[in-house]
Amino acid sequence: MIYLSTISYQVMDLINNILFFLLIFIIIPQTRSKLNVILAILASITFSFIDLYHDSTGLLLPIVSYFFLFRTYKPRVVNRILTLITSTLINAFSQSLSGLIALKLFNYDGHMLEMLISNVIGNYIIALLIVYSGIFTVHWLSRYIDFNDKIIVMIITSALAILLMGLIALTIVSRILNVQLEYMQTNIILSAIIFIFIFLGTLYYIAGYLKQQRAIKELDKLKENRLYIKELEDSYNEMRKFKHDYKNLLLSLSIQLQDNQNTAASETINKLLKDSSIEQASKLNYPGLFSLKDELIRGIIISKLITAKNENIATAVEIAPDINISRNDSITITRILGILFDNAIEACRNESHPFLDFALISDPKYTEFIITNNTAPNAKINLNQIFSNGFSTKENHSGLGLTNVQELVNKKPNFFLKTKFENDEFTVILTIEKEN
Amino acid sequence: MLNVAICEDNLELINVYRLIFKNYMKEHPEHEMRIVVSTGNPSELENYIKYRSDNNPMFYLLDIEFADSETKGIDIAAEIRKNDATAKIVFVTTHEELAYLTFKRKIEPLDYIRKEDGIKAMNESLYKDLDVTFERLHELNSQRRRMFHYSLGSRDYTVDISTINYLETSSSSHKIFLHTLTEITEFRGNLNSIEEEFSNLYLAHKSILVNINNIRSVDSMNKMIYFNDGSSCEVSRRKLPGLKRQIAQ
C-alpha cells in the first residue's frame, strides 16, 4: 500500500464514494431527491470512516445503502442490479485509471497533496465522461434495441456482472500480493479488453434475440391477417345470402301485386329491386381474392383495383377459390398483370361509364387471367397495330405495354395470350397451361 | 323440336317462366318446342339430362344459386356444356351472384337475365333469346360453315374460317398466332398441317399462312398483303406469283 496521510486518504475515499452515488443519480434521474442526496452523503461519510478500521467494507457498504435509494421510485430488480453494477464498474475503472495517471504524473512521495487532488479530479472527469458517453450510446442504440425488454436487460446485466466479478477478483488478488501499481495497470488494460469482448458478445447475442423476436411478431401478424381474412369472407358470404333472399322476395311480391293492379306498390318494388345502394355497400369485398395464396399476384391485383377505384372505374372481380400458381411463374405473371391493368385503366378512365372486369379462372389443366375494359363506343382498334412498338390509342402513352407483355409471354412456353376487341370491349386473356 | 328445361328454386318464378314460354309458342306456331322439365330441384334436372332419350337441341333456363342445394347453376351448366357444345344456356340471376367473366369463359351462355330488371324486361329478354336460338338452329341446318379448330389448355375452340386474316408462327416460341377480325390468339400447332386442311389458306411466307378470301390488296413493291379490315402482313418474293394466281382464281 502506498503511504498516505490518513486524513487526506479518508477525504479522497469520501469524495470517491460520493461519486458512486452521483453516478447513480445520473443514470436513474428519478432517484434524485433531497432526502436521497443527504442519505448518499451520510452513507459516504460513514463508510469512509468505517473503512479506516475494517478494510474493504468501503466497497461493500455503499452497495447495501444503494437499495435504500428506491423508496419512491421502484424500478425492476434487474434494473437496480444493472445500475449498481454499472456505477460500481465505472467507479472502479475510473479510480484505477486516474490513480495510475496521478502516480505517473507525480512521485510516490513529496507531492502527495497534488497527487490526491489530481487523482480525485481525474476520477470525476473519467467517470462522468464514461457515464455520459454510455448514456449517449444507449440512447442511440435504443433506436434499434428495446432496452425495456426483460431478456435484453438480463443479458446486459449478466455480461457486466461477469466483468465486475473479474475486477473484484483482480483487486483481491492484487491486495493479497500487494502489487497495487501493477494491479492498476493490468486492471485498466484487462477491463478494457474484457469490456470490448463482452460488449461485442452482448451485441451479437442481442441481435440474434431481436431477430427471433421479429420472426415471432411476424408470425403473429400473419395469424391475425388470416383470421381477419376469414372474417371478411364470412361476412361477405352472409351478405350475399341476404341479398339473394331479399331480391327473390321482392320479385315474388311483384308477381303477386300484378294481379291487384296496385301500380304505386309495384313501382316501389321495382325501384327497390334496382336500388344499387345495397350493391355499393359490399363493393369493396372481393370473394376469393383473399384465398389467392400467391402474395405477389394478390398484391398487384389489389393495388391496381384500388387505382381503378380511385379513377372511379367500376370494377368486378371473380377469383376461383382453388387457384394454384407455380412459384416460377409468379414474377412473370405479376409483371404481365401490372401492364395489362395499367393499359385497361388508361384505356377506359375517360369513358362516361368506365368499367374493368377481372377474372381468375381455374381448371385442372390450365389457369386463366382475364382483364376486360370498355372503350369509347364504336372505337376502332387495330389489334395488329397495338402490338407494334410505340403505338397506342391514347396520346401521351408509350404504347410499349403490350409489346412488353408479348415478350414476357414468348419467354414462357406454357403462356398463351389472347386479345379480343368486340362490342366496345377490349379483353386480354392470359392462359397458363399447367405443367404435368 | 327444341327441348326447354327450367331450373329455379322460386316456385312462383317457375310458373312465370312457363307462362312466358307458352306465350312464345302461341305467338310463334312455326317453331316447334316443348317444356320437358321445370323444377326447383337441381338433381331432378341432372337426372333428366342423364336419362334423356331424344337427340333434340336443348334450351336451358337456370338460376345460378339454389338456396337449399349444394349444386350451383354453374356446376350444372358446366356439366351440360361438357356433353353438349351446342346447348343454349340462359342464366337467371341477381346481379350480385354474377361471376360474369368466369361464366362467359367457361360456359359460353347465350344470355344472362337479371332478376332486378323486373318481370317485363325478363319477358323481353327471353323472347329475344328464343329468337336467336331458332335462328342459329336454322343456320346450323341449312349450311355447314367451315370451322377452324384449335385447342388451348385442354379446351377446344372453334373459329369461323371466314373471320381469319392470317396465321403466323413466332420466331421465338413454338406457338402459332391466329389473327382474326376480332382477336389475336396464340396456340400450339403446325402451319403446314393447317395449310393442307384448308384450301383457301395460302403459305405466303415460310412462317405466314394467309386467308385468300379476306385479302384486299397485295403490294408487290413492299411485299405486303393488306386485308379487308386494314391489317397487313408480309409476303415473300418467292411466294408472290403463286399468291396472285390464287387470288385471281
Side-chain angles (χ1 to χ4, degrees), chain A residues 139-283:
Chain A
H139 187 75
W140 179 72
L141 278 176
S142 64
R143 269 188 291 175
Y144 311 100
I145 299 169
D146 177 19
F147 283 105
N148 288 322
D149 192 291
K150 220 175 180 172
I151 291 180
I152 289 176
V153 174
M154 283 286 274
I155 294 166
I156 296 171
T157 309
S158 37
L160 290 178
I162 292 166
L163 189 58
L164 184 65
M165 275 192 274
L167 271 183
I168 290 170
L170 220 65
T171 313
I172 292 167
V173 169
S174 68
R175 280 198 184 178
I176 291 166
L177 297 178
N178 214 2
V179 279
Q180 290 265 324
L181 186 64
E182 289 84 350
Y183 149 69
M184 281 184 194
Q185 282 173 326
T186 33
N187 190 359
I188 290 160
I189 296 164
L190 266 181
S191 46
I193 292 170
I194 294 172
F195 179 75
I196 289 167
F197 275 113
I198 288 182
F199 182 73
L200 290 179
T202 311
L203 271 189
Y204 186 74
Y205 197 92
I206 287 174
Y209 173 73
L210 284 179
K211 214 179 256 173
Q212 184 198 348
Q213 288 299 97
R214 222 170 292 145
I216 290 171
K217 254 184 210 159
E218 207 108 296
L219 258 174
D220 280 353
K221 215 164 121 195
L222 257 173
K223 246 184 237 163
E224 255 169 52
N225 262 353
R226 228 170 271 148
L227 264 177
Y228 175 64
I229 285 164
K230 183 88 186 52
E231 254 169 51
L232 271 182
E233 261 187 316
D234 286 351
S235 72
Y236 177 82
N237 284 335
E238 245 162 61
M239 185 84 165
R240 244 164 75 98
K241 233 180 258 166
F242 162 72
K243 252 181 270 169
H244 178 80
D245 295 346
Y246 149 92
K247 291 232 164 105
N248 272 341
L249 256 168
L250 282 177
L251 205 59
S252 38
L253 249 177
S254 79
I255 296 160
Q256 284 165 10
L257 272 174
Q258 269 182 343
D259 309 329
N260 299 339
Q261 300 294 325
N262 188 337
T263 43
S266 40
E267 253 172 46
T268 315
I269 285 175
N270 276 332
K271 257 188 219 155
L272 274 172
L273 268 170
K274 283 181 185 160
D275 184 10
S276 59
S277 61
I278 196 152
E279 314 285 354
Q280 299 283 345
S282 65
K283 260 204 170 153

Side-chain angles (χ1 to χ4, degrees), chain A residues 275-342:
Chain A
D275 184 10
S276 59
S277 61
I278 196 152
E279 314 285 354
Q280 299 283 345
S282 65
K283 260 204 170 153
L284 264 169
N285 287 337
Y286 296 123
L289 188 53
F290 307 116
S291 63
L292 185 57
K293 278 175 219 89
D294 192 297
E295 275 169 14
L296 260 184
I297 295 173
R298 190 174 64 202
I300 193 89
I301 294 171
I302 291 175
S303 72
K304 294 299 177 188
L305 285 176
I306 288 170
T307 312
K309 226 169 254 290
N310 290 341
E311 298 268 3
N312 291 320
I313 298 168
T315 56
V317 175
E318 304 150 26
I319 291 172
D322 50 349
I323 297 293
N324 218 335
I325 290 160
S326 152
R327 279 239 160 253
N328 297 334
D329 294 339
S330 183
I331 291 172
T332 312
I333 293 172
T334 305
R335 289 179 64 190
I336 292 173
L337 286 183
I339 298 170
L340 292 181
F341 269 119
D342 284 344

Side-chain angles (χ1 to χ4, degrees), chain B:
Chain B
M1 176 70 81
L2 180 73
N3 287 352
V4 173
I6 303 168
C7 195
E8 152 78 56
D9 62 350
N10 186 317
L11 294 179
E12 252 165 306
L13 283 178
I14 290 189
N15 286 330
V16 173
Y17 301 152
R18 288 183 68 98
L19 200 68
I20 294 173
F21 282 113
K22 294 235 164 89
N23 285 338
Y24 185 88
M25 284 184 230
K26 249 183 255 162
E27 288 166 35
H28 298 84
E30 75 276 16
H31 294 324
E32 285 189 340
M33 63 185 279
R34 59 174 179 172
I35 298 170
V36 288
V37 201
S38 57
T39 175
N41 184 355
S43 45
E44 201 176 313
L45 179 67
E46 280 171 333
N47 275 338
Y48 167 76
I49 297 165
K50 217 171 181 178
Y51 299 116
R52 80 193 188 100
S53 49
D54 59 47
N55 243 338
N56 288 338
M58 292 295 301
F59 184 98
Y60 294 93
L61 186 66
L62 304 174
D63 190 1
I64 285 179
E65 209 150 79
F66 299 100
D68 308 328
S69 171
E70 282 291 299
T71 318
K72 284 183 177 175
I74 176 125
D75 298 327
I76 301 177
E79 196 58 35
I80 293 168
R81 185 53 84 217
K82 219 198 258 169
N83 302 316
D84 187 352
T86 58
K88 298 288 174 282
I89 300 170
V90 173
F91 284 114
V92 199
T93 160
T94 59
H95 175 72
E96 189 54 37
E97 291 157 3
L98 202 70
Y100 182 73
L101 281 177
T102 310
F103 288 7
K104 196 168 163 183
R105 188 82 182 130
K106 280 195 157 175
I107 313 293
E108 289 164 39
L110 180 65
D111 197 11
Y112 300 94
I113 297 178
R114 290 155 45 113
K115 285 181 182 173
E116 48 268 79
D117 289 344
I119 298 291
K120 219 175 137 198
M122 289 168 75
N123 192 42
E124 276 169 27
S125 301
L126 262 183
Y127 265 54
K128 208 182 74 215
D129 293 337
L130 285 169
D131 284 345
V132 170
T133 304
F134 282 113
E135 201 179 297
R136 294 222 183 131
L137 276 178
H138 185 68
E139 236 174 49
L140 203 70
N141 292 335
S142 62
Q143 58 169 93
R144 288 241 163 245
R145 284 180 172 269
R146 283 306 306 270
M147 298 303 262
F148 174 75
H149 299 270
Y150 66 92
S151 65
L152 185 56
S154 84
R155 264 188 66 181
D156 293 324
Y157 297 87
T158 53
V159 176
D160 187 337
I161 199 101
S162 67
T163 66
I164 294 177
N165 281 337
Y166 63 98
L167 295 116
E168 180 184 18
T169 49
S170 123
S171 49
S172 55
S173 58
H174 301 286
K175 296 170 190 168
I176 292 181
F177 290 82
L178 167 69
H179 297 253
T180 76
L181 299 176
T182 55
E183 66 179 66
I184 300 174
T185 298
E186 288 175 87
F187 61 91
R188 278 201 193 96
N190 180 308
L191 273 193
N192 291 327
S193 62
I194 297 169
E195 188 205 6
E196 281 165 20
E197 199 183 331
F198 298 95
S199 59
N200 56 333
L201 296 183
Y202 178 77
L203 203 61
H205 187 277
K206 67 177 190 308
S207 65
I208 298 172
L209 200 55
V210 296
N211 183 356
I212 301 288
N213 300 341
N214 280 350
I215 293 176
R216 188 175 63 199
S217 63
V218 179
D219 183 347
S220 310
M221 277 289 283
N222 299 315
K223 303 198 291 292
M224 291 294 281
I225 296 171
Y226 293 96
F227 296 93
N228 289 329
D229 69 341
S231 57
S232 60
C233 73
E234 277 179 80
V235 54
S236 71
R237 188 182 300 282
R238 213 160 47 83
K239 295 284 191 176
L240 257 172
L243 177 69
K244 286 191 169 161
R245 221 177 303 127
Q246 281 267 336
I247 294 171
Q249 276 178 6

Side-chain angles (χ1 to χ4, degrees), chain A residues 311-377:
Chain A
E311 298 268 3
N312 291 320
I313 298 168
T315 56
V317 175
E318 304 150 26
I319 291 172
D322 50 349
I323 297 293
N324 218 335
I325 290 160
S326 152
R327 279 239 160 253
N328 297 334
D329 294 339
S330 183
I331 291 172
T332 312
I333 293 172
T334 305
R335 289 179 64 190
I336 292 173
L337 286 183
I339 298 170
L340 292 181
F341 269 119
D342 284 344
N343 282 353
I345 290 168
E346 180 80 12
C348 71
R349 63 200 253 198
N350 293 328
E351 302 310 317
S352 51
H353 296 288
F355 71 78
L356 191 162
D357 291 353
F358 174 76
L360 215 177
I361 297 174
S362 120
D363 182 274
K365 298 223 168 107
Y366 63 89
T367 310
E368 269 181 350
F369 296 82
I370 306 179
I371 297 177
T372 296
N373 64 274
N374 60 339
T375 60

